Amino acid sequence: MALENMFICIGCPLGCEVTLTINNKGDVVGFANNKCKEGEKYVLEEYRNPVRTLTATVLTQSSSQPLLAVRTNKPILKTILVQSMTILARTRVKAPVKMGDVIVPNLLDTGADVVASSNLSSWTKNEGVVF
Amino acid sequence: MKLQDVDVAVIGAGPAGMAAAIKAKEAGAENVVIMERAEELGGLLHQCVHNGFGLLYFNQDLTGPEYGHRFIEKVMDTGVKPLLETMVVRLTEDRQIGAVNIREGYITFKPKSIVLAMGCRERSRGALNIPGTRPAGVLTAGTAQRYVNVEGFVPGKKIVILGSGDIGMIMARRLTLEGAHVEAVVEILPYIGGLIRNEVQCLHDFEIPLFLEHTVTRIHGEERVRAVTIAKVDGRRNPIAGTERTIACDTLLLSVGLIPENELSVMAGIRLDPVTGGALVDEMRQTTVSGVFAGGNVLHVHDLVDNVSWESELAGESAAKFALEEKPQKQGEISIKAGTNIRYIVPQTISGQRDVTLYMRVTEPEEMVRIKVGDIMTKGIRAVKPSEMLKIELPAETLKKLKDGTKEIIVDCEKRGGK
């Protein structure tokens, strides 16, 4: 029994709907409907290890900036994105935070850290007089 | 620095304005100011917490705030003067700027040159004429993005998104991750309005239903949105009777296009391109008003910030040159015209003397095409889509092939094997 999996390749604007056929031992039997070799590479990666960078926000204890933008420092399996959000929902950060600071180390044992992707200063926003 | 000594004034401190100001400074302009109505530099990058920025410019996958941060630091390092919480309200044909801020009230000055970098805004419900009531819960995707990513509110629990632009699809994912349920993304065209990677990673990853060739025909609800009716459309984009279905929801997000913000340009008498909604420019990004340049989304709506930065650097560099030389440059003399299946091309005129990059969009999606630039160049491309901007490099060497006295170059996008 062969199993067919469909993927849309994101390599170029064509967006080929590539069919990947897998046999019952889990081996790749073939590709169909891709217009180039790049499509096969993309589809294999999406089949074996579909990963995404998670980007989100966490709550801060600052009144002038209620949220801090965060990201994973490497892509994680797309199947655990939603579960990861429950960890972030419980996370609170205190100023000061600098871009790149680790907010949640080793998220769900993925080896990826959640890091700040913006700054959170401990002072309130400056009035900004320049001239 | 006194305002009267300003060489280059940049209006807007988003990605376009920052890139233009930095480049103007690097190109030798001494006094560069960047005028911004918000209280900080960076523009909308702060609320774009998703990744995908800088893949081309930095060869790195950055989030919006990370991409912005690199430019903010450079603005500071190069000695560009930010003039924050200052809104430009007047621009004249002789480059007089009028602006207001809370410290000085109304200020006015005349820089040697100006870069327009005001960006764009979203089309709103008023532009769409959707019948129905006027309940709370109808907002643009960008407004929702600000609520969710900056202010800390999720605008609803059951959401329908009209339009499949990139911001709309990105918000579909973001709201899903924040616990809302996105019932549908509804697109009037037979293809999505944004990038393929967003269709896959924002919609398919979360099994969000996409209705192509559908539109919202009615909004229901008195105080709050209660439901929307959607219907299939025919080839002329008119709803087909009998295909309506009603989807219960409490929020309708609109992701239905962006409009370059050109009120100041019009005030200054700058001529606009009716297709792009931005100024008509030459290859140096000079508008029809001498000494006023433009770059980024105020000129034409881009899909990638990387191109916004590059284009605005060109505008900033040209503005610096103009300020230093203090002599009016001429707009290019050869017009670049959109031919078969081309919706628009920027720049609209060139001199024929320098390397030029043509930024363009097609009208209809097509596979296996050939871009023909007059009779001087052809380039094969595997697939083109209206949502993905094309960049065609035209080296000065190639432009030498133009016959003397050429006034117009037509660019076509033809199907290969055809004609």
Side-chain angles (χ1 to χ4, degrees):
Chain A
M1 228 342 249
L3 192 68
E4 291 193 344
N5 292 273
M6 211 277 285
F7 297 89
I8 295 181
C9 176
I10 64 170
C12 83
L14 266 186
C16 293
E17 298 187 10
V18 185
T19 308
L20 170 72
T21 313
I22 306 290
N23 69 14
N24 52 8
K25 287 187 222 141
D27 302 326
V28 173
V29 179
F31 300 90
N33 304 328
N34 52 309
K35 295 193 173 121
C36 75
K37 282 275 172 202
E38 286 301 306
E40 297 185 6
K41 265 198 332 221
Y42 170 80
V43 163
L44 262 189
E45 193 60 25
E46 274 290 277
Y47 173 68
R48 292 189 173 143
N49 190 34
V51 292
R52 306 282 186 261
T53 297
L54 175 65
T55 61
T57 54
V58 293
L59 285 171
T60 74
Q61 293 176 345
S62 150
S63 58
S64 60
Q65 190 187 327
L67 299 175
L68 175 77
V70 297
R71 64 173 297 170
T72 54
N73 61 355
K74 49 183 147 180
I76 57 174
L77 273 179
K78 69 173 186 179
T79 45
I80 61 163
L81 292 174
V82 172
Q83 197 191 342
S84 302
M85 289 302 289
T86 61
I87 309 274
L88 296 183
R90 292 199 299 264
T91 305
R92 301 283 182 279
V93 293
K94 231 178 151 169
V97 180
K98 280 200 70 161
M99 193 172 278
D101 285 357
V102 175
I103 305 298
V104 180
N106 191 20
L107 175 72
L108 293 170
D109 286 326
T110 52
D113 297 332
V114 174
V115 299
S117 84
S118 54
N119 294 323
L120 177 63
S121 341
S122 37
W123 34 272
T124 52
K125 262 171 203 145
N126 148 8
E127 289 299 304
V129 180
V130 173
F131 287 92
Chain B
M1 187 202 309
K2 287 205 180 84
L3 277 178
Q4 309 317 324
D5 301 330
V6 171
D7 296 308
V8 179
V10 178
I11 306 176
M18 293 192 296
I22 293 164
K23 197 69 181 185
K25 189 81 188 177
E26 287 174 350
E30 201 173 324
N31 297 321
V32 180
V33 295
I34 185 162
M35 311 182 73
E36 168 57 49
R37 63 187 172 194
E39 60 190 9
E40 58 190 336
L41 300 171
L44 286 189
L45 287 169
H46 292 292
Q47 71 179 53
C48 300
V49 303
H50 56 279
N51 59 315
F53 296 84
L55 287 167
L56 306 175
Y57 192 95
F58 291 114
N59 218 355
Q60 269 179 288
D61 191 6
L62 304 174
T63 64
E66 289 170 337
Y67 188 89
H69 188 71
R70 297 189 177 202
F71 284 87
I72 293 171
E73 295 216 307
K74 211 151 178 212
V75 165
M76 296 315 193
D77 292 348
T78 47
V80 169
K81 284 280 182 195
L83 196 47
L84 302 176
E85 294 181 288
T86 301
M87 179 147 156
V88 177
V89 292
R90 188 158 181 266
L91 185 64
T92 66
E93 203 159 340
D94 63 350
R95 295 199 300 280
Q96 197 83 29
I97 288 179
V100 285
N101 70 36
I102 200 164
R103 303 175 296 274
E104 293 133 309
Y106 186 71
I107 52 177
T108 177
F109 66 106
K110 186 178 170 176
K112 295 198 180 100
S113 64
I114 293 172
V115 180
L116 306 174
M118 292 90 78
C120 60
R121 60 168 173 260
E122 296 177 280
R123 283 180 79 201
S124 59
R125 180 177 177 182
L128 297 178
N129 293 323
I130 308 169
T133 49
R134 291 285 182 274
V138 181
L139 56 161
T140 60
T143 302
Q145 189 179 46
R146 183 171 170 87
Y147 286 164
V148 178
N149 293 346
V150 178
E151 317 248 341
F153 305 101
V154 176
K157 293 194 173 74
K158 287 162 79 79
I159 296 167
V160 172
I161 302 177
L162 175 60
S164 58
D166 288 310
I167 316 170
M169 293 196 284
I170 282 162
M171 283 315 293
R173 170 177 64 188
R174 185 80 184 98
L175 286 160
T176 304
L177 287 173
E178 287 296 343
H181 197 266
V182 179
E183 307 290 329
V185 172
V186 182
E187 169 60 54
I188 197 164
L189 294 173
Y191 46 85
I192 55 156
L195 304 171
I196 283 218
R197 70 169 191 234
N198 285 331
E199 179 182 355
V200 172
Q201 298 181 355
C202 298
L203 304 186
H204 298 189
D205 277 4
F206 300 95
E207 293 167 9
I208 295 169
L210 170 66
F211 293 87
L212 294 173
E213 297 183 280
H214 277 73
T215 193
V216 171
T217 55
R218 185 161 282 276
I219 297 171
H220 308 270
E222 291 304 321
E223 292 191 351
R224 178 78 196 196
V225 174
R226 188 163 46 76
V228 296
T229 300
I230 71 168
K232 197 166 167 42
V233 297
D234 61 21
R236 304 176 66 180
R237 302 190 202 172
N238 290 320
I240 302 169
T243 64
E244 298 89 352
R245 76 175 85 186
T246 297
I247 304 175
C249 61
D250 57 25
T251 304
L252 175 65
L253 295 192
L254 304 175
S255 175
V256 289
L258 300 166
I259 306 165
E261 198 149 345
N262 273 297
E263 283 69 17
L264 288 171
S265 323
V266 170
M267 209 185 283
I270 289 166
R271 285 180 51 214
L272 302 187
D273 181 326
V275 182
T276 59
L280 293 166
V281 290
D282 64 13
E283 74 227 61
M284 309 305 287
R285 295 300 184 275
Q286 183 169 228
T287 67
T288 54
V289 169
S290 177
V292 180
F293 301 79
N297 284 350
V298 76
L299 194 51
H300 58 122
V301 176
H302 294 62
D303 29 66
L304 300 175
V305 72
D306 311 65
N307 289 324
V308 166
S309 299
W310 277 318
E311 176 173 73
S312 305
E313 284 175 353
L314 178 55
E317 187 179 357
S318 308
K321 263 190 205 149
F322 186 94
L324 293 170
E325 291 169 12
E326 287 192 38
K327 62 168 191 246
Q329 292 163 329
K330 250 188 173 170
Q331 271 241 339
E333 308 220 303
I334 306 167
S335 347
I336 307 286
K337 288 262 157 44
T340 313
N341 198 21
I342 301 286
R343 192 155 75 84
Y344 75 74
I345 305 166
V346 173
Q348 289 85 353
T349 54
I350 62 169
S351 66
Q353 311 297 316
R354 303 180 199 85
D355 296 349
V356 181
T357 303
L358 301 179
Y359 290 76
M360 58 179 101
R361 281 185 199 279
V362 295
T363 312
E364 295 292 333
E366 188 66 86
E367 295 184 9
M368 305 310 277
V369 297
R370 184 188 299 117
I371 305 286
K372 274 179 61 186
V373 182
D375 48 14
I376 57 170
M377 188 181 156
T378 63
K379 188 183 176 194
I381 298 182
R382 199 190 300 150
V384 292
K385 277 178 97 178
S387 57
E388 312 218 1
M389 197 166 74
L390 296 171
K391 273 168 82 175
I392 305 286
E393 314 275 344
L394 268 184
E397 207 48 39
T398 307
L399 287 164
K400 279 192 187 146
K401 288 196 236 162
L402 286 173
K403 288 189 195 81
D404 282 347
T406 301
K407 286 269 168 273
E408 185 177 277
I409 302 174
I410 297 177
V411 181
D412 296 302
C413 172
E414 292 172 349
K415 181 117 182 107
R416 268 183 267 173
K419 289 196 205 178

